[in-house]
Amino acid sequence: NRELSRKVKELTSLSEVTQTISNSLDINTVLDTIVDTIKNVMGFDICSIKLLDRDTNSLAIKITRGLGDEYTSKGPTPVGAGISGLAAKMCRAIIVNDTQTDPRVPKDHILPRLGVKSVISIPLITKQSVLGVLNLYTKEKHEFTGDEIRLLGIFANQAAGAIENARLFDSLRDSYLNTIQALSMAIDAKDRYTHGHSK
């Protein structure tokens, strides 16, 4: 049964993704794993992940597959603007079945110029907030099925959790290093013979 084989492949891939990203504290490894799995399991060759920069309240491209330099060199997307910005603002998936006719896609938008017909943008959400968005694109018109949306939602949840863990680890590591450096400077200030050696 083809349907059963597809479900087994999906579950196996989900298990592998979960294991890989739960063992990694490197954001780039996590994002690579997510987009490669989406391509291998679901057959979507074109995707991107944008992460939220809280200082500018905009989404910056972190990783892409199947998109050229014109896309990757474009600036950040403000939250609330464009398809991914709308998904981040509304905290829900935004689906565009036809970029040529959908009123949410401006006429001068880059996606129609790149030949992209359909898009789904899914926010990466943790308990605290939106961290970014996962975007998938197709060159042919595509109506995303309930199963596809559900599976992409699971990938997005996995990515959000792993990104948050990696950021927490980086923050904790920086905090420890700063504490050790402060202690080193305090030791050097008390004892001129150890000056410079503690660090």
Side-chain angles (χ1 to χ4, degrees), residues 84-105:
S84 54
L86 194 58
K89 182 179 180 179
M90 299 183 76
C91 296
R92 66 176 177 83
I94 301 295
I95 299 170
V96 173
N97 291 322
D98 187 350
T99 59
Q100 303 283 341
T101 59
D102 195 298
R104 296 170 294 181
V105 181

Side-chain angles (χ1 to χ4, degrees), residues 15-16 18-19 29 60 76 104 110 118 135 150 166 182 186 197:
S15 173
E16 289 169 2
T18 302
Q19 187 172 8
T29 301
R104 296 170 294 181
I110 191 171
S118 299
N135 301 306
R150 176 188 52 79
H197 294 287

Side-chain angles (χ1 to χ4, degrees), residues 126-142:
T126 63
K127 290 176 189 170
Q128 282 72 35
S129 59
V130 173
L131 299 179
V133 291
L134 166 65
N135 301 306
L136 275 90
Y137 316 90
T138 64
K139 296 271 187 173
E140 304 294 327
K141 269 195 215 177
H142 182 82

Side-chain angles (χ1 to χ4, degrees), residues 125-180:
I125 303 174
T126 63
K127 290 176 189 170
Q128 282 72 35
S129 59
V130 173
L131 299 179
V133 291
L134 166 65
N135 301 306
L136 275 90
Y137 316 90
T138 64
K139 296 271 187 173
E140 304 294 327
K141 269 195 215 177
H142 182 82
E143 291 204 16
F144 293 92
T145 67
D147 280 349
E148 286 172 336
I149 295 167
R150 176 188 52 79
L151 191 55
L152 290 169
I154 293 170
F155 284 133
N157 287 338
Q158 294 287 337
I163 291 165
E164 185 174 53
N165 286 343
R167 285 182 171 171
L168 288 171
F169 176 77
D170 285 345
S171 175
L172 189 60
R173 183 187 57 207
D174 290 346
S175 178
Y176 276 132
L177 287 174
N178 289 338
T179 302
I180 291 168

Side-chain angles (χ1 to χ4, degrees), residues 7-161:
K7 291 285 187 191
V8 168
K9 185 177 179 184
E10 285 179 6
L11 289 172
T12 303
S13 296
L14 277 174
S15 173
E16 289 169 2
V17 166
T18 302
Q19 187 172 8
T20 301
I21 65 179
S22 64
N23 290 334
S24 176
L25 291 171
D26 177 60
I27 289 178
N28 292 326
T29 301
V30 168
L31 299 181
D32 272 332
T33 302
I34 294 290
V35 295
D36 288 342
T37 303
I38 287 170
K39 179 179 178 180
N40 295 336
V41 174
M42 302 184 72
F44 291 106
D45 292 335
I46 312 171
C47 61
S48 70
I49 294 179
K50 298 179 179 181
L51 296 183
L52 179 65
D53 180 338
R54 297 202 186 289
D55 294 334
T56 62
N57 199 36
S58 62
L59 299 161
I61 298 167
K62 188 69 178 171
I63 189 169
T64 66
R65 291 288 189 275
L67 294 162
D69 292 340
E70 185 182 1
Y71 183 87
T72 55
S73 64
K74 77 183 187 75
T77 304
V79 170
I83 301 159
S84 54
L86 194 58
K89 182 179 180 179
M90 299 183 76
C91 296
R92 66 176 177 83
I94 301 295
I95 299 170
V96 173
N97 291 322
D98 187 350
T99 59
Q100 303 283 341
T101 59
D102 195 298
R104 296 170 294 181
V105 181
K107 295 296 178 202
D108 62 344
H109 198 280
I110 191 171
L111 293 178
R113 278 203 319 269
L114 295 174
V116 170
K117 293 282 194 275
S118 299
V119 182
I120 183 169
S121 185
I122 301 174
L124 306 174
I125 303 174
T126 63
K127 290 176 189 170
Q128 282 72 35
S129 59
V130 173
L131 299 179
V133 291
L134 166 65
N135 301 306
L136 275 90
Y137 316 90
T138 64
K139 296 271 187 173
E140 304 294 327
K141 269 195 215 177
H142 182 82
E143 291 204 16
F144 293 92
T145 67
D147 280 349
E148 286 172 336
I149 295 167
R150 176 188 52 79
L151 191 55
L152 290 169
I154 293 170
F155 284 133
N157 287 338
Q158 294 287 337

